[in-house]
């Protein structure tokens, strides 16, 4: 996603973009080897959808036509948080729910339609090529996956979007640069997902279910979301080492252990349409490329290759979209002050700008994960404890106050910055809120009218 969206932005500025991809890409929305996380639940948050829609007009409608399911959060989604069910009267935001392969296939098809974009599939980037003094990247070496043959590709700008497995730090070391600092916060979380056919005649006043975690006490959680093909994607997650099993009996016992048992009840009579698929590798990890004392010209790193988030907050694809948006802004600003073809300074400025826009998402994700005593990587300091206390107050208010629930949903959807939670109306709601109805209470019914029109 980061590579596709960066290519989309670059297409407005350059004569040719070559997308190098190790996989031979499927024509349809199918799973592929280079995207092991693709079998797990993926939600594109509101902000990410807005950026993608801006870059690829008609994206949401195309996704919906291909089977994606339109829903509003929280109106159509029953969300159980630590303090109770989220108030469904909030306006919140709209999403189109689909599997990751379908979300990506729609973006890929549109990006590959651009006349300046070409795809070099079945090729793996093995290293960077650079000027003799290592100060400027001049291209990449690629290896054909089928016969191992290698070729050098020259480029004015190289963008690494190779995901969590990116070798950028090693490549930089090969050019003589010092090792970048690495920050990690590991909540020891794993996923296990399975698809089900929605039973004929099923009806409920909600479209999706989110039984979220309540750290540090509740480390097991689960989501049920509609996806294309009239299916439900049921995603089970466990932090602190309480991983959902991937065998039939263990997975079923895990889903039954979630309170209330709404997901277990839904799937009791539903036909599975996939095996159970597990996934580890969810640590929050960011490379501080922005703090390197020295950085080569003409080399950029985007997406998970820079910052990979614990995925339960759904930030990864949205941050990939924001990285593309940031790249566009940097390219436009650079054009205003430099001669055509002069890219000096662009790379450093981009990595610093990217670190700035990623910081709130990093804080949200790591701060929540630090509630688990089993999380490793960083101690939860004094500031974190105050933040946790206030977030709990906001979470409580969001169960009974649609205005607070609306702002809360918008912050989670990355439409508003976390500072929106400090607005006077939210502050007042948070300070007077009592804890809402817990899992023992039924979820609130779908409201006939929303009380927070915009
Ligand atoms: C379990 C799980 C659940 C997730 N859920 C969500 C969610 O709900 N919402 C959300 O927004 N995000 C989610 N994410 C995160 C999301 O998958 C990523 O953040 C997002 O895909 C952006 O990653 P990327 O484009 O940087 O890398 P990737 O999507 O990993 O893509 C990297 C690409 O580079 C290719 N590649 C790798 N190395 C090379 C090489 N040397 N040469 C050529 N090609 C190469 C790979 O084949 C692949 O196509 C989840 C992640 C996980 C692990």
């Amino acid at each position: 996603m980061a590579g596709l969206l960066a290519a989309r932005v670059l297409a407005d500025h350059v004569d040719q973009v070559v997308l190098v991809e190790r996989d031979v890409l499927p024509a349809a929305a199918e799973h592929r080897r280079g995207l092991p996380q693709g079998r797990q639940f993926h939600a594109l948050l509101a902000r990410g959808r807005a950026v993608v829609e801006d870059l690829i007009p008609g994206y949401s409608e195309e996704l919906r036509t291909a089977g994606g399911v339109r829903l509003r959060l929280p109106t159509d989604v029953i969300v159980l948080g630590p303090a109770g069910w989220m108030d469904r009267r909030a306006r919140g935001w709209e999403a189109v729910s689909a599997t990751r392969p379908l979300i990506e296939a729609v973006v890929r098809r549109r990006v590959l339609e651009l006349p300046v974009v070409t795809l070099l599939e079945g090729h793996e980037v093995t290293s960077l090529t650079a000027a003799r003094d290592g100060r400027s990247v001049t291209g990449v070496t690629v290896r054909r996956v089928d016969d191992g043959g290698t070729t050098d590709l020259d480029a004015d700008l190289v963008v690494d979007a190779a995901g969590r497995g990116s070798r950028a730090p090693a490549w930089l070391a090969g050019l003589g640069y010092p090792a970048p600092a690495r920050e990690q916060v590991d909540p020891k979380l794993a996923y296990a997902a399975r698809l089900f056919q929605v039973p004929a005649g099923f009806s409920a006043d909600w479209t999706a279910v989110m039984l979220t975690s309540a750290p540090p006490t509740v480390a097991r959680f689960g989501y049920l979301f509609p996806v294309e093909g009239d299916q439900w994607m049921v995603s089970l997650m466990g932090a602190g080492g309480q991983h959902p099993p991937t065998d039939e009996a263990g997975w079923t016992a895990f889903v039954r252990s979630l309170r209330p048992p709404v997901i277990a009840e839904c799937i009791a009579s539903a036909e599975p349409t996939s095996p159970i698929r597990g996934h580890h590798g969810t640590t929050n990890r960011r490379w501080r490329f922005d703090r390197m004392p020295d950085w080569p010209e003409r080399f950029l790193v985007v997406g998970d290759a820079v910052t990979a988030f614990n995925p339960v907050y759904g930030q990864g694809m949205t941050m990939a979209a924001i990285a593309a948006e940031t790249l566009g802004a940097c390219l436009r600003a650079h054009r205003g002050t430099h001669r055509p073809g002069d890219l000096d300074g662009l790379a450093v400025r981009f990595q610093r700008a990217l670190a700035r826009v990623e910081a709130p998402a990093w804080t949200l994700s790591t701060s929540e994960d630090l509630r688990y005593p089993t999380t490793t990587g960083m101690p939860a300091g004094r500031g974190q404890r105050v933040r946790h206390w206030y977030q709990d107050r906001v979470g409580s208010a969001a169960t009974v106050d649609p205005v607070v629930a609306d702002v809360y949903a918008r912050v989670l959807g990355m439409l508003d910055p976390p500072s929106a939670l400090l607005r006077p109306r939210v502050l007042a709601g948070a300070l007077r809120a009592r804890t809402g109805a817990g899992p023992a209470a039924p979820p609130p019914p779908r409201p006939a009218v929303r009380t927070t029109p915009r």
Side-chain angles (χ1 to χ4, degrees), residues 1-3 20-23 32 34-35 37 40-43 100 123-125 161-163 191 279 281-282 302-305 311 314-318 320:
M1 284 299 275
V20 185
E21 169 55 53
R22 188 166 44 203
D23 282 352
R32 59 189 180 84
L35 205 74
Q37 76 270 34
Q40 304 299 325
F41 170 70
H42 269 68
R100 165 64 192 251
H123 283 71
E124 177 181 22
V125 177
Y191 274 58
H279 191 97
T282 56
V302 295
D304 285 12
Q315 304 180 117
M317 294 188 296
T318 291

Side-chain angles (χ1 to χ4, degrees), residues 3 27 53 81 108 111 169 186 207 252 314 323 336-337 355 370 406 414 418 447:
E53 191 67 48
R108 187 164 68 226
V111 171
D186 184 2
T207 313
T252 306
T337 51
L370 284 166
D406 187 43
M414 296 178 79

Side-chain angles (χ1 to χ4, degrees), residues 12 77 80 269:
D12 289 341
V77 186
L80 183 68
S269 60

Side-chain angles (χ1 to χ4, degrees), residues 122-148:
H123 283 71
E124 177 181 22
V125 177
T126 56
S127 60
L128 300 174
T129 56
R132 197 180 292 260
D133 62 3
R135 302 208 59 77
S136 182
V137 168
T138 55
V140 291
T141 302
V142 298
R143 191 177 63 83
R144 276 193 304 278
V145 172
D146 55 1
D147 64 8

Side-chain angles (χ1 to χ4, degrees), residues 30-51:
E30 284 164 20
H31 183 70
R32 59 189 180 84
R33 200 162 161 234
L35 205 74
Q37 76 270 34
R39 297 192 196 272
Q40 304 299 325
F41 170 70
H42 269 68
L44 182 60
L45 301 179
R47 172 82 192 281
R49 191 170 76 94
V51 176

